[in-house]
């Protein structure tokens, strides 16, 4: 699936997008500042030409205070816009889950983490009969299935775990474990996931059964293997489950390069 090439392409795209966003924000933020500097310069020139009385000074102070308040409101509004843009760029619109752009940043940060020993459960899964549901019941039914899968996934995971929709019916979960606890956590997560997604999804008085297949690898920071490669290995384990009959999971030991 060329996961490595795809994720690096996403990473480059995300970097360029945030660079453009930063330039846009700098320009938008500087506009009210330039307005204020221009206005105060005009104010000084007017004072030099006309002199200034008490009433004039009070009016000027009120005017400048109002301009500063407006500038503060503008900045707050633009900060909110930037936060929303960042969220939209890094999350899937249908399910609300983080997307590949979010994953690209996450993988980069994982590689830059400190020297402390870390274990991360890497679990890939996709839906076994999703294409059949889409073809027979329509895209509205498919969207309902994906939203329900996302909801069940969040309910199964801990707050600190990261579920990601890669696209279509493909998902990835990254869950950090205490050193020595990764294997147990991987078994528990995969088992719960397969059981939870085996339950049909209700859609317009219909029971839509999809199920899932999953591949799991426990990544260790001291193994000399990039987290991206652990994802690739989990993906290969997923493909073996598919070849052997679907609706199950397989855990593979992390293999060195």
């Amino acid at each position: 699936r060329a996961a490595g090439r795809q994720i690096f392409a996403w990473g480059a795209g995300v970097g360029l997008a945030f660079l453009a966003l930063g330039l846009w924000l700098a320009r938008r933020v500087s506009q009210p500042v330039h307005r204020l500097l221009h206005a105060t310069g005009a104010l000084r020139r007017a004072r030099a030409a006309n002199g200034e009385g008490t009433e004039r000074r009070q009016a000027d102070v009120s005017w400048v205070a109002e301009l500063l308040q407006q500038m503060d409101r503008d900045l707050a509004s633009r900060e909110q816009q930037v936060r929303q843009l960042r969220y939209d760029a890094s999350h899937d619109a249908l399910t609300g889950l983080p997307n590949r752009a979010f994953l690209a940043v996450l993988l980069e940060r994982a590689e830059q983490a400190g020297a402390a020993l870390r274990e991360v459960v890497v679990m890939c899964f996709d839906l076994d009969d999703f294409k059949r549901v889409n073809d027979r019941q329509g895209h509205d039914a498919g969207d309902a299935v994906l939203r329900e899968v996302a909801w069940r996934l969040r309910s199964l995971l801990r707050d600190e775990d990261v579920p990601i929709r890669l696209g279509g019916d493909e998902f990835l979960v990254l869950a950090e474990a205490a050193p020595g606890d990764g294997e147990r956590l991987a078994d528990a997560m995969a088992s719960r996931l397969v059981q939870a997604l085996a339950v049909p999804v209700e859609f317009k008085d219909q029971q839509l059964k999809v199920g899932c297949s999953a591949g799991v690898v426990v990544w260790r920071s001291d193994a000399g293997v990039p987290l991206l490669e652990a994802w690739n290995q989990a993906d290969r384990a997923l493909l073996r489950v598919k070849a052997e009959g679907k609706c199950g999971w397989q855990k593979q030991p992390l293999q060195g390069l």
Side-chain angles (χ1 to χ4, degrees), residues 28-40 71 75:
R28 294 296 299 272
V29 168
S30 65
Q31 285 176 351
V33 177
H34 291 158
R35 285 168 50 200
L36 180 61
L37 291 174
H38 176 77
T40 52
M71 184 175 68
L75 290 174

Side-chain angles (χ1 to χ4, degrees), residues 184-232:
R184 181 204 63 80
L185 180 61
D187 292 344
M189 283 180 52
S191 178
R192 291 200 307 267
L193 175 74
V194 171
Q195 291 177 14
L197 297 189
V199 178
V201 175
E202 293 187 9
F203 176 74
K204 295 182 178 179
D205 298 325
Q206 301 178 68
Q207 298 289 312
L208 306 178
K209 186 174 182 180
V210 288
C212 79
S213 299
V216 191
V217 168
V218 178
W219 176 79
R220 290 174 55 92
S221 60
D222 62 349
V225 176
L227 186 56
L228 177 61
E229 173 58 23
W231 171 22
N232 290 333

Side-chain angles (χ1 to χ4, degrees), residues 86-109:
R86 286 177 176 169
Y87 180 89
D88 292 344
S90 60
H91 287 74
D92 175 54
L94 177 64
T95 64
L97 295 178
N99 60 18
R100 283 179 179 264
F102 186 99
L103 176 60
V105 176
L106 196 65
L107 290 175
E108 182 179 358
R109 289 178 178 175

Side-chain angles (χ1 to χ4, degrees), residues 28-197:
R28 294 296 299 272
V29 168
S30 65
Q31 285 176 351
V33 177
H34 291 158
R35 285 168 50 200
L36 180 61
L37 291 174
H38 176 77
T40 52
L43 180 61
R44 285 195 298 270
R45 290 191 296 272
R47 285 175 175 173
N50 303 323
E52 57 178 21
T54 301
E55 292 183 359
R56 174 74 183 208
R57 288 197 301 271
Q58 291 175 346
D60 290 343
V61 169
S62 298
W63 177 77
V64 171
E66 182 179 348
L67 189 60
L68 286 171
Q69 291 173 357
Q70 181 61 49
M71 184 175 68
D72 185 62
R73 289 192 293 270
D74 289 346
L75 290 174
S77 174
R78 287 164 188 170
E79 287 174 0
Q80 177 60 36
Q81 292 174 9
V82 169
R83 285 194 294 269
Q84 187 63 49
L85 287 170
R86 286 177 176 169
Y87 180 89
D88 292 344
S90 60
H91 287 74
D92 175 54
L94 177 64
T95 64
L97 295 178
N99 60 18
R100 283 179 179 264
F102 186 99
L103 176 60
V105 176
L106 196 65
L107 290 175
E108 182 179 358
R109 289 178 178 175
E111 298 299 332
Q112 296 173 352
L117 177 63
R118 300 173 61 213
E119 290 188 8
V120 177
V121 176
V122 181
M123 180 169 64
C124 292
F125 74 92
D126 65 16
L127 307 181
D128 290 330
D129 294 312
F130 182 72
K131 186 177 186 303
R132 177 182 56 80
V133 169
N134 247 350
D135 291 346
R136 295 184 182 181
Q137 308 297 331
H139 291 296
D140 286 347
D143 288 350
V145 168
L146 291 171
R147 284 192 291 266
E148 177 65 16
V149 166
W151 184 87
R152 294 183 191 182
L153 188 56
R154 290 191 190 95
S155 69
L156 288 173
L157 299 178
R158 306 168 301 177
D159 290 342
E160 62 267 30
D161 300 335
V162 183
I164 297 163
R165 184 186 178 201
L166 299 173
D169 65 335
E170 299 178 9
F171 297 83
L172 175 70
V173 175
L174 301 177
E176 188 155 2
D181 194 44
E183 300 295 334
R184 181 204 63 80
L185 180 61
D187 292 344
M189 283 180 52
S191 178
R192 291 200 307 267
L193 175 74
V194 171
Q195 291 177 14
L197 297 189

